[in-house]
Amino acid sequence: MGKEQKNFKKWDTHHHINPPFYEAYAKKNGYGNVYGLPHPKWSPDLMLHWMDEANIERAVMSISTPGIHFGNDAESREMSRKCNHYMADLIKKYPNRLGAFATLPLPDTDGAVKELRYALDTLKLDGIGLLSNFNHHYFGDVRFEPVWQEANDRKAIVYVHPTRPKESIPQQLLNYTYYLKMDTAKTIISFMKSGYHLKYPHIKFVLSHGGGVLPKVMKSALQALKKEDPSIEESFEVWRKQLFADTALVSYPDVMLPEIINFFGANHVIFGTDLCWGADKYKYFIQQFSETDISMEMFEKIYLKNVNALFRGENVPYIPTKVKLHATAHEPSVTNYHLHIHPKNIIALAAKKYNGEIKMDHLNTEIKPAHANAMISFDIPEVWKLSRSERREILMQYNLNISKMKQESAINVKVLAAIDLEDPEHSINEITHCLNVLKMDGICLYVSVTGKSYHDMFDDRLLMKLAQIDVPVVIHPKASDAFPVLELAYYETLAYILCLIYSDKLAHLKQVNYIPTHTDDLLEFLGRAVNSMHYVNPKTDKPRIGKIIWELLIMKREVVYEYLKELDVY
């Protein structure tokens, strides 16, 4: 980091504390560690030391995940008050160095409203700090509306930190890299879906870790929300001036940080370190941030000016920004790998087996001239709710009938065999039959992995079979009708790729011509963060120092990141 960067004064809004009484409380309630990580060392003196090292003029303290509510409302209220008093006392001791986001005992709404009033009106804290979900209830939940009313009346700042969703996988690094990042976006979409962004328009949200994946998934979410609210895009453009994002642990200068700045705008990105949890990483991310292709004026805004305006209560405008992304290494193929066509008899068979309504709006039944050069595949989400034997029958009939349609068509198309990840023994045989007998052109692998254990996720025999065939393997979520963001099943193909990486199956990924669908470009967006998974032992969660030294320090290569940039993604 250059000298000029070091001289910037900074305000840090992503700054956690871990006082001994809180750590003891978390451990008493089953959090001896937090999602695989030990509780970090922290003290007021250590906090001030970190601040001085990074030239942080002021830090806004908060309590991080797992929060304070572990099922007992009375205990949670007591701990909330204790944390808020503790932070208020530190502010009195260091008034020019510290601020605080109050912690609330949600999902205890009555207790949260009382504590919000006390923390903001009596203790005069800077805002409130909330987790992205409380017992898996998100911001749009009707039970939280009294909190939004109080926050809106005060034009409060609400700092949002992710926590683990119900559907996540018990691996700490994958949770941080994917599921926690998704959860911040999920709770904001939930807030909008409930119409609260219109009803309570004066709350300013500070979204930690760059808003998670919000910059990439908002487009899909808005398209889905339009079915209920045709004016949602227009109302979001008005409301987005209430959204801010911090830079904590996301300051990669090539894709992630530019995307975050471009989405939130030059005036709405603020600096964050993730201290005390990020004590071993914050200097690295400050250095990464310094390499972003932005002006010195924008550095100054992000470090200090934007947050000053936010805390003064100014109406900070949203200013569209275009920070250049580094060029990717791969140009997407001109082939359309994501086209669904279903013979009419297959739709009839599925409807009969399902014994219910089959959604027809996306079901093509004929090959048309516009489909030339496409790869045709199956997509009837209702089929995956049937028994295994019923699914087998429908998929086998689909493969047979779609291959006949191709042979009889005068239009140049290719067809993908429908293969079920969760039925490995049958799928292995079906792959052989489809490629060797039916002469199909590739595979469409239908996946559902979120919430499953690693032992149940992959069958090595099926993975070996996929590695032996030299054809495209399109990955498709079974729940393709799921709501983007609000239902993680929509992004199952992304989870499939991430789980293979975390399971140390990078060699397999390189052997198979995987083409993921329904990713919203999140593979590249998360690429640098995902890269770190390759260097962690999946059995011990400990870094593999030898690989780090060789690949990162000697070869100067980020192996997974470079691989992910080369994928065809739809």
Side-chain angles (χ1 to χ4, degrees):
M1 184 167 57
K3 183 178 180 182
E4 289 179 323
Q5 288 283 321
K6 287 182 179 179
N7 290 339
F8 275 120
K9 290 188 180 297
K10 309 170 185 70
W11 279 24
D12 179 8
T13 58
H14 193 134
H15 202 104
H16 302 304
I17 64 170
N18 191 43
F21 68 86
Y22 170 73
E23 182 175 333
Y25 173 72
K27 289 180 176 178
K28 184 189 81 169
N29 283 280
Y31 285 90
N33 58 47
V34 182
Y35 311 145
L37 296 175
H39 285 269
K41 293 181 180 179
W42 180 87
S43 70
D45 288 343
L46 191 54
M47 173 174 62
L48 292 168
H49 169 73
W50 288 325
M51 292 170 64
D52 290 341
E53 271 196 327
N55 202 9
I56 296 171
E57 186 176 68
R58 187 168 186 247
V60 187
M61 299 174 288
S62 60
I63 298 293
S64 186
T65 184
I68 59 166
H69 198 292
F70 303 110
N72 186 306
D73 286 352
E75 282 190 358
S76 180
R77 291 186 185 193
E78 181 182 348
M79 181 54 57
S80 175
R81 181 63 56 91
K82 191 171 184 178
C83 287
N84 293 336
H85 267 293
Y86 183 80
M87 291 188 287
D89 289 342
L90 282 175
I91 292 170
K92 288 178 182 177
K93 189 173 182 180
Y94 305 103
N96 297 321
R97 303 297 307 274
L98 299 175
F101 291 120
T103 185
L104 303 184
L106 285 171
D108 169 18
T109 305
D110 290 342
V113 168
K114 291 176 183 176
E115 191 61 28
L116 185 155
R117 292 170 180 164
Y118 182 76
L120 298 189
D121 300 346
T122 302
L123 296 181
K124 305 295 182 183
L125 299 187
D126 296 280
I128 58 177
L130 301 181
L131 298 180
S132 53
N133 76 73
F134 295 92
N135 292 352
H136 312 304
H137 299 293
Y138 289 82
F139 285 5
D141 196 305
V142 66
R143 76 191 68 194
F144 298 149
E145 188 164 6
V147 175
W148 302 131
Q149 178 69 64
E150 294 290 335
N152 191 71
D153 290 347
R154 290 161 176 77
K155 298 183 178 180
I157 299 170
V158 176
Y159 164 78
V160 184
H161 192 279
T163 193
R164 190 157 143 183
K166 184 177 182 180
E167 306 95 330
S168 65
I169 287 171
Q171 293 288 346
Q172 65 92 356
L173 188 56
L174 185 58
N175 274 307
Y176 162 71
T177 304
Y178 175 55
Y179 290 105
L180 268 72
K181 289 186 182 299
M182 190 67 77
D183 218 54
T184 304
K186 183 175 181 178
T187 209
I188 289 298
I189 299 302
S190 169
F191 189 83
M192 291 185 66
K193 192 174 189 293
S194 296
Y196 290 160
H197 67 301
L198 298 174
K199 196 171 184 180
Y200 305 112
H202 302 305
I203 304 169
K204 291 184 172 68
F205 289 93
V206 175
L207 308 181
S208 61
H209 299 299
V213 297
L214 198 67
K216 299 304 297 183
V217 302
M218 181 57 90
K219 183 177 179 180
S220 291
L222 290 175
Q223 286 298 312
L225 289 170
K226 282 176 72 172
K227 296 175 182 178
E228 299 177 18
D229 179 3
S231 64
I232 191 70
E233 290 177 321
E234 290 79 6
S235 65
F236 171 69
E237 288 303 320
V238 174
W239 181 65
R240 71 188 304 161
K241 70 179 184 296
Q242 301 298 102
L243 297 179
F244 293 74
D246 73 43
T247 65
L249 305 192
V250 296
S251 299
Y252 295 109
D254 48 359
V255 175
M256 185 177 280
L257 188 59
E259 293 264 25
I260 290 166
I261 296 173
N262 291 342
F263 178 81
F264 287 96
N267 285 12
H268 283 238
V269 178
I270 56 184
F271 177 67
T273 62
D274 205 14
L275 288 164
C276 57
W277 283 94
D280 60 339
K281 302 181 183 74
Y282 78 98
K283 291 181 183 178
Y284 167 77
F285 280 100
I286 292 175
Q287 192 275 332
Q288 287 281 303
F289 177 43
S290 74
E291 296 175 5
T292 309
D293 187 17
I294 58 177
S295 66
M296 297 302 286
E297 178 186 9
M298 194 176 295
F299 277 120
E300 190 173 22
K301 279 187 173 185
I302 293 173
Y303 278 135
L304 192 62
K305 288 186 176 181
N306 291 346
V307 70
N308 267 306
L310 170 65
F311 277 70
R312 285 195 300 265
E314 296 179 11
N315 186 15
V316 185
Y318 163 71
I319 298 179
T321 311
K322 193 63 179 176
V323 177
K324 184 179 179 182
L325 279 66
H326 292 194
T328 59
H330 181 75
E331 291 295 327
S333 169
V334 295
T335 302
N336 179 5
Y337 285 96
H338 199 176
L339 173 67
H340 303 305
I341 297 178
H342 305 82
K344 291 179 181 180
N345 64 323
I346 300 301
I347 297 174
L349 177 62
K352 180 181 178 181
K353 297 288 186 183
Y354 184 64
N355 196 25
E357 182 184 1
I358 299 288
K359 297 177 183 177
M360 301 293 293
D361 57 341
H362 70 298
L363 299 182
N364 297 303
T365 59
E366 299 177 357
I367 299 174
K368 301 176 182 179
H371 300 154
N373 299 315
M375 299 284 270
I376 295 171
S377 58
F378 172 89
D379 184 25
I380 304 179
E382 292 85 356
V383 165
W384 306 112
K385 300 172 185 177
L386 301 175
S387 69
R388 176 172 290 188
S389 62
E390 290 173 317
R391 296 198 310 262
R392 282 183 180 179
E393 180 183 351
I394 292 171
L395 297 184
M396 290 173 67
Q397 286 297 317
Y398 172 81
N399 292 335
L400 176 64
N401 280 266
I402 200 68
S403 62
K404 287 182 179 178
M405 282 182 67
K406 173 198 170 180
Q407 293 168 9
E408 295 169 358
S409 174
I411 301 165
N412 180 29
V413 295
K414 296 182 179 181
V415 290
L416 300 172
I419 300 298
D420 184 0
L421 176 71
E422 296 176 278
D423 191 5
E425 194 160 327
H426 175 264
S427 292
I428 291 169
N429 294 329
E430 185 67 3
I431 289 171
T432 300
H433 178 72
C434 289
L435 297 183
N436 296 344
V437 178
L438 299 182
K439 304 299 181 182
M440 300 181 78
D441 303 286
I443 299 298
C444 193
L445 183 68
Y446 295 86
V447 302
S448 175
V449 298
T450 296
K452 293 181 172 62
S453 73
Y454 274 73
H455 300 294
D456 300 332
M457 202 172 294
F458 305 115
D459 185 287
D460 287 337
R461 296 169 301 168
L462 179 55
L463 294 184
M464 185 179 299
K465 181 68 176 180
L466 294 174
Q468 291 170 347
I469 57 176
D470 187 22
V471 296
V473 178
V474 174
I475 317 172
H476 199 281
K478 290 184 174 180
S480 58
D481 58 344
F483 196 108
V485 189
L486 294 185
E487 297 176 78
L488 291 181
Y490 185 85
Y491 297 102
E492 291 282 30
T493 59
L494 181 65
Y496 176 83
I497 294 289
L498 299 182
C499 291
L500 282 173
I501 293 170
Y502 199 96
S503 297
D504 204 27
K505 298 184 185 299
L506 185 63
H508 168 80
L509 275 167
K510 291 183 175 181
Q511 290 172 331
V512 182
N513 181 20
Y514 278 126
I515 303 169
T517 63
H518 293 274
T519 70
D520 277 338
D521 291 331
L522 281 171
L523 276 171
E524 185 174 7
F525 181 72
L526 294 173
R528 292 284 293 279
V530 168
N531 186 77
S532 63
M533 296 197 303
H534 179 51
Y535 302 106
V536 175
N537 188 314
K539 295 181 179 178
T540 64
D541 277 337
K542 293 181 179 179
R544 292 183 285 193
I545 300 301
K547 289 183 73 67
I548 293 173
I549 293 173
W550 176 253
E551 292 178 358
L552 293 181
L553 301 181
I554 297 177
M555 302 301 293
K556 306 292 185 182
R557 293 182 61 222
E558 295 178 285
V559 174
V560 175
Y561 175 56
E562 292 171 8
Y563 167 76
L564 291 177
K565 287 199 301 183
E566 297 176 1
L567 282 176
D568 280 319
V569 180
Y570 290 86

